Amino acid sequence: EAQVTQNPRYLITVTGKKLTVTCSQNMNHEYMSWYRQDPGLGLRQIYYSMNVEVTDKGDVPEGYKVSRKEKRNFPLILESPSPNQTSLYFCASSLRVMNTEAFFGQGTRLTVV
Amino acid sequence: GENVEQHPSTLSVQEGDSAVIKCTYSDSASNYFPWYKQELGKRPQLIIDIRSNVGEKKDQRIAVTLNKTAKHFSLHITETQPEDSAVYFCAPPNPDSNYQLIWGAGTKLIIKP
């Protein structure tokens, strides 16, 4: 089954404790991205990747890192999480960035206390 | 995003009536116009998209119309049903980047029984 898989689905952590949210897709998509979704603010892009070893900042990259060592995986790293990073996070992939459907993961609800 | 305006932000319609949501974009070169649906607690999913070489596309009760001159595209849902209750997002390409979409702020559609 074609899908985008994120883990974990829910996470509560403390300020400053490094964490990684994993994202994997099995559709051989070139383009992957991370979004955060906050009430009233819609979807805001954090980072995106056009292909292996090619990443770039989205609209709200501060406090986040990503890597794309393999085509299927695109982890999101929070080196030192802060309470303002409490949010719902979505990973998405698409065959190409333009003119193609974006497939979203199930979402990760992160709470930083 | 600043180059995308989505209206209305909330729409309440009686079950069985029609609903229309409008998305205005800024880049005249855009050629792909998708609409996503996000049900409560779930991930966004593509429901319909249109390319710039056509003016309208239908899929059962859902249609999208494109007005390139006025730079807007609209989502039309006819004979609304309770399962149409969700948040709907438009996501045209970012005119300032070849690698990003711009997400509208979302429209919360409420179907009244």
Side-chain angles (χ1 to χ4, degrees):
Chain A
E1 180 189 352
Q3 58 187 358
V4 179
T5 304
Q6 285 178 238
N7 279 297
R9 294 288 311 278
Y10 302 93
L11 179 60
I12 301 175
T13 190
V14 296
T15 298
K17 185 178 181 181
K18 180 178 178 180
L19 67 91
T20 299
V21 184
T22 64
C23 174
S24 181
Q25 51 93 5
N26 62 0
M27 296 170 279
N28 201 37
H29 283 172
E30 290 182 354
Y31 187 84
M32 298 184 75
S33 59
W34 277 102
Y35 294 91
R36 61 178 289 173
Q37 186 173 37
D38 302 291
L41 296 177
L43 287 162
R44 293 183 293 166
Q45 193 177 46
I46 303 170
Y47 267 95
Y48 60 94
S49 170
M50 293 79 83
N51 215 322
V52 175
E53 301 289 6
V54 184
T55 63
D56 207 349
K57 297 177 181 178
D59 301 314
V60 287
E62 294 77 21
Y64 305 95
K65 286 174 57 178
V66 293
S67 68
R68 188 94 180 272
K69 294 184 170 59
E70 308 161 280
K71 199 170 189 177
R72 63 183 293 124
N73 295 324
F74 190 45
L76 179 69
I77 303 155
L78 285 73
E79 294 270 5
S80 182
S82 62
N84 64 11
Q85 293 179 297
T86 292
S87 186
L88 177 60
Y89 291 86
F90 285 103
C91 177
S93 76
S94 54
L95 186 61
R96 298 178 302 278
V97 60
M98 293 303 177
N99 301 348
T100 58
E101 177 179 0
F103 292 84
F104 285 80
Q106 319 96 301
T108 296
R109 187 164 292 283
L110 172 66
T111 302
V112 184
V113 297
Chain B
E2 59 183 359
N3 296 305
V4 172
E5 291 185 6
Q6 191 175 331
H7 294 285
S9 57
T10 305
L11 179 59
S12 183
V13 301
Q14 204 69 39
E15 182 178 348
D17 288 350
S18 296
V20 181
I21 302 169
K22 183 177 176 179
C23 183
T24 303
Y25 62 95
S26 62
D27 183 19
S28 58
S30 294
N31 56 10
Y32 178 65
F33 306 93
W35 282 99
Y36 287 80
K37 175 184 181 182
Q38 185 178 26
E39 296 177 12
L40 187 63
K42 298 196 175 177
R43 72 191 85 185
Q45 290 187 294
L46 181 74
I47 53 170
I48 196 166
D49 56 15
I50 194 169
R51 299 177 195 280
S52 59
N53 57 343
V54 298
E56 182 177 8
K57 181 178 178 180
K58 285 185 179 179
D59 183 2
Q60 299 180 16
R61 296 186 297 107
I62 293 171
V64 55
T65 57
L66 173 63
N67 184 328
K68 289 213 76 178
T69 303
K71 297 182 189 175
H72 65 73
F73 61 111
S74 298
L75 175 68
H76 305 256
I77 306 174
T78 58
E79 301 172 29
T80 53
Q81 300 170 5
E83 55 264 36
D84 295 328
S85 293
V87 178
Y88 293 82
F89 295 95
C90 62
N94 184 341
D96 299 325
S97 168
N98 291 327
Y99 302 106
Q100 291 180 281
L101 303 174
I102 294 184
W103 290 80
T107 296
K108 184 175 183 179
L109 177 61
I110 302 166
I111 308 300
K112 296 181 290 186

